[in-house]
Amino acid sequence: MSTSMVRASSPVHVSWQRLLEPLAPEIDRILGQIEGENTAPSRELIFRALELDLEKIKVVIFGQDPYPTPGNAMGMAFSIPPEIVRLPASLRNIFQELESDLGVEKPVSGDLSSWERSGVLLLNRVLTTRVGESAAHANLGWQRITDFIAKELGSRGVVAILWGKSAQELSQYFEYQMSSAHPSPLSAYRGFFGSKPFSRANELLVAQGREPIDWSL
């Protein structure tokens, strides 16, 4: 395991450890800059999304940066721990679109781990922020790491769902992709609602001869 992953105390899958080894110095630099900060997600969850075996990823959903609300961020974009009762507004909008697109009844829990088990990587463009402050770490260099990840995923034919401007900066890496406004209440009515990302992602997978995602929660 690389020094970076040890410092973050995150259970990264071995497939990612090997891939990210060349970026270990850059990751160490970023982690050093946020040493001692009250981060969202907590330090041990920064790389939580990378517990998913690289070989099993069929779809990646890229978001912006983690929820700044205390306790909400869990290292998987848009997902919150099952014990959190109040859903963030972006997640409520995601569930509304899921119901409109596929008829999936709005879940009670905001934990999206079942999507992960079906082969969906949930990754933010920027992997950390400061608790209580959106985009606090937007200029630390996380984008270089997530650019590297996006390029690898694109080379594997992974379908990308890119929500928001910062996620759409990764479009160059993906042959199979769809973009829309971010599900935030500030932008959801500017193209997120009605974009049908879940059914469209499955259509792209089927066109490749791959199994579709089970989007039920």
Side-chain angles (χ1 to χ4, degrees):
M1 181 176 289
S2 73
T3 304
S4 307
M5 303 312 178
V6 169
R7 288 184 62 182
S9 303
S10 191
V12 176
H13 191 273
V14 65
S15 58
W16 288 106
Q17 291 173 25
R18 288 194 298 264
L19 182 69
L20 295 176
E21 194 62 41
L23 295 179
E26 181 73 4
I27 295 172
D28 275 336
R29 181 190 64 77
I30 296 171
L31 293 176
Q33 283 190 267
I34 61 176
E35 188 77 46
E37 283 196 26
N38 187 13
T39 62
S42 56
R43 201 167 184 86
E44 70 275 9
L45 294 175
I46 291 173
F47 298 102
R48 164 66 183 81
L50 304 186
E51 285 185 24
L52 179 57
D53 185 348
L54 179 57
E55 303 291 337
K56 296 182 178 179
I57 297 170
K58 295 188 285 187
V59 173
V60 58
I61 296 179
F62 270 104
Q64 197 162 267
D65 67 334
Y67 296 125
T69 304
N72 275 7
M74 59 177 288
M76 296 163 58
F78 300 106
S79 185
I80 60 173
E83 65 271 15
I84 301 295
V85 175
R86 182 177 176 82
L87 300 183
S90 294
L91 191 54
R92 290 200 302 271
N93 287 341
I94 289 168
F95 288 165
Q96 182 175 328
E97 179 62 20
L98 178 64
E99 184 175 40
S100 172
D101 185 6
L102 295 178
V104 174
E105 189 174 344
K106 292 179 186 177
V108 175
S109 170
D111 183 359
L112 304 180
S113 296
S114 66
W115 287 0
E116 180 186 56
R117 289 191 291 273
S118 194
V120 180
L121 178 67
L122 298 158
L123 196 66
N124 282 309
R125 186 84 163 92
V126 174
L127 299 185
T128 60
T129 190
R130 194 176 298 121
V131 170
E133 186 178 344
S134 294
H137 296 162
N139 297 318
L140 293 185
W142 281 124
Q143 291 88 340
R144 181 164 177 251
I145 312 303
T146 49
D147 268 41
F148 185 87
I149 291 171
K151 186 175 182 180
E152 177 66 24
L153 295 173
S155 74
R156 293 167 175 263
V158 170
V159 174
I161 299 174
L162 307 173
W163 286 338
K165 184 178 178 181
S166 59
Q168 289 163 22
E169 293 171 356
L170 302 172
S171 63
Q172 60 183 308
Y173 299 118
F174 296 97
E175 179 180 357
Y176 306 101
Q177 62 171 282
M178 66 215 66
S179 300
S180 77
H182 193 276
S184 159
L186 298 175
S187 56
Y189 287 95
R190 298 202 297 268
F192 173 75
F193 289 128
S195 62
K196 299 186 180 299
F198 310 103
S199 60
R200 289 171 64 200
N202 278 351
E203 287 168 6
L204 288 172
L205 288 172
V206 171
Q208 294 183 58
R210 307 177 75 183
E211 285 292 317
I213 299 295
D214 179 2
W215 293 105
S216 59
L217 285 163

CSV table of all heavy atoms in Angstrom, one decimal, residues 24-63:
chain,number,residue,atom,x,y,z
A,24,ALA,N,1.4,9.1,-5.9
A,24,ALA,CA,1.6,9.0,-4.4
A,24,ALA,C,2.2,10.3,-3.9
A,24,ALA,O,1.7,10.9,-2.9
A,24,ALA,CB,2.4,7.8,-4.0
A,25,PRO,N,3.3,10.9,-4.5
A,25,PRO,CA,3.8,12.1,-4.0
A,25,PRO,C,2.8,13.3,-4.0
A,25,PRO,O,2.8,14.1,-3.1
A,25,PRO,CB,5.0,12.4,-4.9
A,25,PRO,CG,5.4,11.1,-5.5
A,25,PRO,CD,4.1,10.3,-5.6
A,26,GLU,N,2.0,13.4,-5.1
A,26,GLU,CA,1.0,14.4,-5.2
A,26,GLU,C,-0.1,14.2,-4.1
A,26,GLU,O,-0.5,15.2,-3.5
A,26,GLU,CB,0.4,14.4,-6.6
A,26,GLU,CG,-0.6,15.5,-6.9
A,26,GLU,CD,0.0,16.9,-7.0
A,26,GLU,OE1,1.2,17.0,-7.0
A,26,GLU,OE2,-0.8,17.8,-7.1
A,27,ILE,N,-0.5,13.0,-3.9
A,27,ILE,CA,-1.5,12.7,-2.9
A,27,ILE,C,-1.0,13.1,-1.5
A,27,ILE,O,-1.7,13.7,-0.7
A,27,ILE,CB,-2.0,11.3,-3.0
A,27,ILE,CG1,-2.7,11.0,-4.3
A,27,ILE,CG2,-3.0,10.9,-1.8
A,27,ILE,CD1,-3.1,9.6,-4.6
A,28,ASP,N,0.3,12.7,-1.3
A,28,ASP,CA,0.9,13.0,0.0
A,28,ASP,C,0.9,14.5,0.2
A,28,ASP,O,0.7,15.0,1.4
A,28,ASP,CB,2.3,12.4,0.1
A,28,ASP,CG,2.3,11.0,0.5
A,28,ASP,OD1,1.4,10.5,1.2
A,28,ASP,OD2,3.3,10.3,0.2
A,29,ARG,N,1.2,15.2,-0.8
A,29,ARG,CA,1.3,16.7,-0.7
A,29,ARG,C,0.0,17.3,-0.3
A,29,ARG,O,-0.1,18.1,0.6
A,29,ARG,CB,1.8,17.3,-2.0
A,29,ARG,CG,1.9,18.8,-2.0
A,29,ARG,CD,2.1,19.4,-3.4
A,29,ARG,NE,0.9,19.2,-4.2
A,29,ARG,CZ,-0.2,19.9,-4.2
A,29,ARG,NH1,-0.4,20.9,-3.2
A,29,ARG,NH2,-1.2,19.6,-5.0
A,30,ILE,N,-1.1,16.8,-0.9
A,30,ILE,CA,-2.5,17.3,-0.6
A,30,ILE,C,-2.8,16.9,0.8
A,30,ILE,O,-3.3,17.8,1.6
A,30,ILE,CB,-3.5,16.8,-1.6
A,30,ILE,CG1,-3.2,17.3,-3.0
A,30,ILE,CG2,-4.9,17.2,-1.2
A,30,ILE,CD1,-4.0,16.6,-4.1
A,31,LEU,N,-2.6,15.7,1.2
A,31,LEU,CA,-3.0,15.2,2.5
A,31,LEU,C,-2.2,16.0,3.6
A,31,LEU,O,-2.7,16.3,4.6
A,31,LEU,CB,-2.7,13.7,2.7
A,31,LEU,CG,-3.6,12.8,1.8
A,31,LEU,CD1,-3.2,11.3,2.0
A,31,LEU,CD2,-5.1,13.0,2.2
A,32,GLY,N,-0.9,16.4,3.3
A,32,GLY,CA,-0.2,17.2,4.2
A,32,GLY,C,-0.7,18.5,4.4
A,32,GLY,O,-0.7,19.1,5.5
A,33,GLN,N,-1.3,19.1,3.3
A,33,GLN,CA,-1.9,20.4,3.4
A,33,GLN,C,-3.1,20.5,4.2
A,33,GLN,O,-3.4,21.5,4.8
A,33,GLN,CB,-2.2,21.0,2.0
A,33,GLN,CG,-1.0,21.4,1.2
A,33,GLN,CD,-1.4,22.1,-0.1
A,33,GLN,OE1,-1.5,21.5,-1.1
A,33,GLN,NE2,-1.6,23.4,0.0
A,34,ILE,N,-3.8,19.4,4.3
A,34,ILE,CA,-5.1,19.4,5.1
A,34,ILE,C,-4.9,18.7,6.4
A,34,ILE,O,-5.9,18.4,7.1
A,34,ILE,CB,-6.2,18.7,4.3
A,34,ILE,CG1,-5.9,17.3,4.0
A,34,ILE,CG2,-6.5,19.5,3.1
A,34,ILE,CD1,-7.1,16.6,3.3
A,35,GLU,N,-3.7,18.4,6.8
A,35,GLU,CA,-3.3,17.8,8.1
A,35,GLU,C,-3.9,18.6,9.2
A,35,GLU,O,-3.7,19.8,9.3
A,35,GLU,CB,-1.8,17.7,8.3
A,35,GLU,CG,-1.4,16.9,9.5
A,35,GLU,CD,-1.5,15.4,9.2
A,35,GLU,OE1,-1.1,14.9,8.2
A,35,GLU,OE2,-2.1,14.7,10.1
A,36,GLY,N,-4.7,18.0,10.1
A,36,GLY,CA,-5.2,18.7,11.3
A,36,GLY,C,-6.5,19.4,11.0
A,36,GLY,O,-7.2,19.8,11.9
A,37,GLU,N,-7.0,19.5,9.7
A,37,GLU,CA,-8.3,20.1,9.5
A,37,GLU,C,-9.4,19.2,9.7
A,37,GLU,O,-9.3,17.9,9.7
A,37,GLU,CB,-8.3,20.5,8.0
A,37,GLU,CG,-7.6,21.8,7.7
A,37,GLU,CD,-8.0,22.4,6.3
A,37,GLU,OE1,-9.1,22.1,5.9
A,37,GLU,OE2,-7.1,23.0,5.7
A,38,ASN,N,-10.6,19.7,10.0
A,38,ASN,CA,-11.8,19.0,10.2
A,38,ASN,C,-12.4,18.8,8.8
A,38,ASN,O,-13.1,19.7,8.3
A,38,ASN,CB,-12.8,19.7,11.1
A,38,ASN,CG,-14.0,18.9,11.4
A,38,ASN,OD1,-14.0,17.7,11.2
A,38,ASN,ND2,-15.0,19.5,12.0
A,39,THR,N,-12.1,17.7,8.1
A,39,THR,CA,-12.4,17.5,6.7
A,39,THR,C,-13.7,16.7,6.6
A,39,THR,O,-14.1,16.0,7.4
A,39,THR,CB,-11.3,16.7,6.0
A,39,THR,OG1,-11.2,15.4,6.5
A,39,THR,CG2,-10.0,17.5,6.0
A,40,ALA,N,-14.3,17.0,5.4
A,40,ALA,CA,-15.5,16.2,5.0
A,40,ALA,C,-15.1,15.6,3.6
A,40,ALA,O,-14.7,16.4,2.7
A,40,ALA,CB,-16.7,17.1,4.8
A,41,PRO,N,-15.1,14.3,3.5
A,41,PRO,CA,-15.3,13.3,4.5
A,41,PRO,C,-14.2,13.2,5.5
A,41,PRO,O,-13.2,13.8,5.3
A,41,PRO,CB,-15.5,12.0,3.8
A,41,PRO,CG,-14.5,12.2,2.6
A,41,PRO,CD,-14.7,13.6,2.2
A,42,SER,N,-14.4,12.5,6.6
A,42,SER,CA,-13.3,12.3,7.6
A,42,SER,C,-12.1,11.6,6.9
A,42,SER,O,-12.3,11.0,5.9
A,42,SER,CB,-13.8,11.5,8.8
A,42,SER,OG,-14.3,10.2,8.4
A,43,ARG,N,-11.0,11.8,7.5
A,43,ARG,CA,-9.7,11.3,6.8
A,43,ARG,C,-9.8,9.9,6.4
A,43,ARG,O,-9.3,9.5,5.3
A,43,ARG,CB,-8.6,11.6,7.8
A,43,ARG,CG,-7.2,11.7,7.0
A,43,ARG,CD,-6.1,12.2,8.0
A,43,ARG,NE,-4.9,12.4,7.3
A,43,ARG,CZ,-4.5,13.5,6.6
A,43,ARG,NH1,-5.4,14.5,6.5
A,43,ARG,NH2,-3.4,13.6,6.0
A,44,GLU,N,-10.3,9.0,7.2
A,44,GLU,CA,-10.3,7.6,6.9
A,44,GLU,C,-11.3,7.2,5.7
A,44,GLU,O,-11.2,6.1,5.2
A,44,GLU,CB,-10.6,6.7,8.1
A,44,GLU,CG,-12.1,6.8,8.6
A,44,GLU,CD,-12.3,8.0,9.5
A,44,GLU,OE1,-11.4,8.8,9.7
A,44,GLU,OE2,-13.4,8.0,10.1
A,45,LEU,N,-12.1,8.2,5.3
A,45,LEU,CA,-13.1,7.9,4.2
A,45,LEU,C,-12.7,8.7,2.9
A,45,LEU,O,-13.5,8.6,2.0
A,45,LEU,CB,-14.5,8.3,4.7
A,45,LEU,CG,-15.1,7.5,5.8
A,45,LEU,CD1,-16.4,8.0,6.3
A,45,LEU,CD2,-15.2,6.0,5.4
A,46,ILE,N,-11.6,9.4,2.9
A,46,ILE,CA,-11.3,10.2,1.7
A,46,ILE,C,-11.3,9.4,0.4
A,46,ILE,O,-11.9,9.8,-0.6
A,46,ILE,CB,-10.0,10.9,1.9
A,46,ILE,CG1,-10.1,12.0,3.0
A,46,ILE,CG2,-9.5,11.5,0.5
A,46,ILE,CD1,-8.7,12.6,3.3
A,47,PHE,N,-10.8,8.2,0.5
A,47,PHE,CA,-10.7,7.3,-0.7
A,47,PHE,C,-11.7,6.2,-0.7
A,47,PHE,O,-11.5,5.1,-1.3
A,47,PHE,CB,-9.3,6.8,-0.9
A,47,PHE,CG,-8.2,7.8,-1.1
A,47,PHE,CD1,-7.4,8.2,0.0
A,47,PHE,CD2,-8.1,8.4,-2.3
A,47,PHE,CE1,-6.5,9.2,-0.2
A,47,PHE,CE2,-7.1,9.4,-2.5
A,47,PHE,CZ,-6.3,9.8,-1.4
A,48,ARG,N,-12.8,6.3,0.1
A,48,ARG,CA,-13.8,5.3,0.3
A,48,ARG,C,-14.3,4.8,-1.1
A,48,ARG,O,-14.5,3.5,-1.2
A,48,ARG,CB,-14.9,5.8,1.1
A,48,ARG,CG,-16.2,5.0,1.1
A,48,ARG,CD,-16.1,3.6,1.7
A,48,ARG,NE,-17.3,2.9,1.6
A,48,ARG,CZ,-17.7,2.2,0.5
A,48,ARG,NH1,-16.9,2.2,-0.6
A,48,ARG,NH2,-18.8,1.5,0.6
A,49,ALA,N,-14.5,5.6,-2.1
A,49,ALA,CA,-15.1,5.2,-3.3
A,49,ALA,C,-14.2,4.2,-4.0
A,49,ALA,O,-14.6,3.3,-4.8
A,49,ALA,CB,-15.3,6.4,-4.3
A,50,LEU,N,-12.9,4.2,-3.7
A,50,LEU,CA,-11.9,3.3,-4.4
A,50,LEU,C,-11.8,2.0,-3.7
A,50,LEU,O,-10.9,1.2,-4.0
A,50,LEU,CB,-10.6,4.0,-4.5
A,50,LEU,CG,-10.6,5.4,-5.2
A,50,LEU,CD1,-9.1,5.9,-5.3
A,50,LEU,CD2,-11.3,5.3,-6.5
A,51,GLU,N,-12.7,1.7,-2.8
A,51,GLU,CA,-12.8,0.3,-2.3
A,51,GLU,C,-13.4,-0.6,-3.5
A,51,GLU,O,-13.2,-1.8,-3.4
A,51,GLU,CB,-13.8,0.2,-1.1
A,51,GLU,CG,-13.2,0.7,0.2
A,51,GLU,CD,-14.2,0.5,1.3
A,51,GLU,OE1,-15.0,-0.4,1.2
A,51,GLU,OE2,-14.1,1.2,2.3
A,52,LEU,N,-14.1,0.0,-4.4
A,52,LEU,CA,-14.6,-0.8,-5.5
A,52,LEU,C,-13.6,-1.2,-6.5
A,52,LEU,O,-12.8,-0.4,-7.0
A,52,LEU,CB,-15.7,0.1,-6.3
A,52,LEU,CG,-16.4,-0.5,-7.5
A,52,LEU,CD1,-17.1,-1.8,-7.1
A,52,LEU,CD2,-17.4,0.5,-8.1
A,53,ASP,N,-13.5,-2.5,-6.8
A,53,ASP,CA,-12.5,-3.1,-7.7
A,53,ASP,C,-12.6,-2.4,-9.1
A,53,ASP,O,-13.7,-2.3,-9.7
A,53,ASP,CB,-12.8,-4.6,-7.8
A,53,ASP,CG,-11.8,-5.3,-8.7
A,53,ASP,OD1,-11.0,-4.7,-9.4
A,53,ASP,OD2,-11.9,-6.6,-8.7
A,54,LEU,N,-11.5,-1.9,-9.5
A,54,LEU,CA,-11.5,-1.2,-10.8
A,54,LEU,C,-12.1,-2.1,-11.9
A,54,LEU,O,-12.7,-1.6,-12.9
A,54,LEU,CB,-10.0,-0.8,-11.1
A,54,LEU,CG,-9.7,-0.2,-12.5
A,54,LEU,CD1,-10.5,1.1,-12.6
A,54,LEU,CD2,-8.2,0.1,-12.5
A,55,GLU,N,-11.9,-3.4,-11.9
A,55,GLU,CA,-12.3,-4.3,-12.9
A,55,GLU,C,-13.8,-4.4,-13.0
A,55,GLU,O,-14.4,-4.8,-14.0
A,55,GLU,CB,-11.7,-5.7,-12.7
A,55,GLU,CG,-10.2,-5.7,-12.7
A,55,GLU,CD,-9.6,-5.4,-14.0
A,55,GLU,OE1,-10.3,-5.6,-15.1
A,55,GLU,OE2,-8.4,-4.9,-14.1
A,56,LYS,N,-14.5,-4.0,-11.9
A,56,LYS,CA,-16.0,-4.2,-11.8
A,56,LYS,C,-16.8,-3.0,-12.1
A,56,LYS,O,-18.0,-3.0,-12.1
A,56,LYS,CB,-16.3,-4.7,-10.4
A,56,LYS,CG,-15.8,-6.1,-10.1
A,56,LYS,CD,-16.2,-6.6,-8.7
A,56,LYS,CE,-15.6,-8.0,-8.5
A,56,LYS,NZ,-16.0,-8.5,-7.1
A,57,ILE,N,-16.1,-1.9,-12.4
A,57,ILE,CA,-16.8,-0.6,-12.7
A,57,ILE,C,-17.3,-0.6,-14.1
A,57,ILE,O,-16.6,-0.7,-15.1
A,57,ILE,CB,-15.8,0.6,-12.5
A,57,ILE,CG1,-15.3,0.6,-11.0
A,57,ILE,CG2,-16.5,1.9,-12.8
A,57,ILE,CD1,-14.2,1.6,-10.8
A,58,LYS,N,-18.6,-0.3,-14.1
A,58,LYS,CA,-19.3,-0.2,-15.4
A,58,LYS,C,-19.8,1.3,-15.7
A,58,LYS,O,-19.8,1.7,-16.8
A,58,LYS,CB,-20.5,-1.1,-15.5
A,58,LYS,CG,-20.2,-2.6,-15.4
A,58,LYS,CD,-21.3,-3.5,-15.7
A,58,LYS,CE,-22.3,-3.6,-14.5
A,58,LYS,NZ,-23.3,-4.6,-14.6
A,59,VAL,N,-20.1,2.0,-14.6
A,59,VAL,CA,-20.6,3.4,-14.7
A,59,VAL,C,-19.8,4.2,-13.7
A,59,VAL,O,-19.6,3.7,-12.6
A,59,VAL,CB,-22.1,3.5,-14.5
A,59,VAL,CG1,-22.6,4.9,-14.4
A,59,VAL,CG2,-22.8,2.7,-15.6
A,60,VAL,N,-19.5,5.4,-14.0
A,60,VAL,CA,-19.0,6.3,-13.0
A,60,VAL,C,-19.9,7.6,-13.0
A,60,VAL,O,-20.2,8.1,-14.0
A,60,VAL,CB,-17.5,6.7,-13.3
A,60,VAL,CG1,-17.3,7.4,-14.7
A,60,VAL,CG2,-17.0,7.7,-12.2
A,61,ILE,N,-20.3,8.0,-11.8
A,61,ILE,CA,-21.0,9.2,-11.6
A,61,ILE,C,-20.0,10.2,-11.0
A,61,ILE,O,-19.5,10.0,-9.9
A,61,ILE,CB,-22.2,9.1,-10.8
A,61,ILE,CG1,-23.3,8.2,-11.4
A,61,ILE,CG2,-22.9,10.5,-10.5
A,61,ILE,CD1,-24.5,7.9,-10.6
A,62,PHE,N,-19.7,11.3,-11.7
A,62,PHE,CA,-18.8,12.3,-11.2
A,62,PHE,C,-19.7,13.5,-10.6
A,62,PHE,O,-20.5,14.0,-11.3
A,62,PHE,CB,-17.9,12.8,-12.3
A,62,PHE,CG,-16.6,12.1,-12.3
A,62,PHE,CD1,-16.4,11.2,-13.4
A,62,PHE,CD2,-15.6,12.3,-11.4
A,62,PHE,CE1,-15.2,10.5,-13.5
A,62,PHE,CE2,-14.4,11.6,-11.5
A,62,PHE,CZ,-14.2,10.7,-12.5
A,63,GLY,N,-19.4,13.9,-9.4
A,63,GLY,CA,-20.0,15.0,-8.8
A,63,GLY,C,-18.9,16.2,-8.7
A,63,GLY,O,-17.9,16.2,-9.4
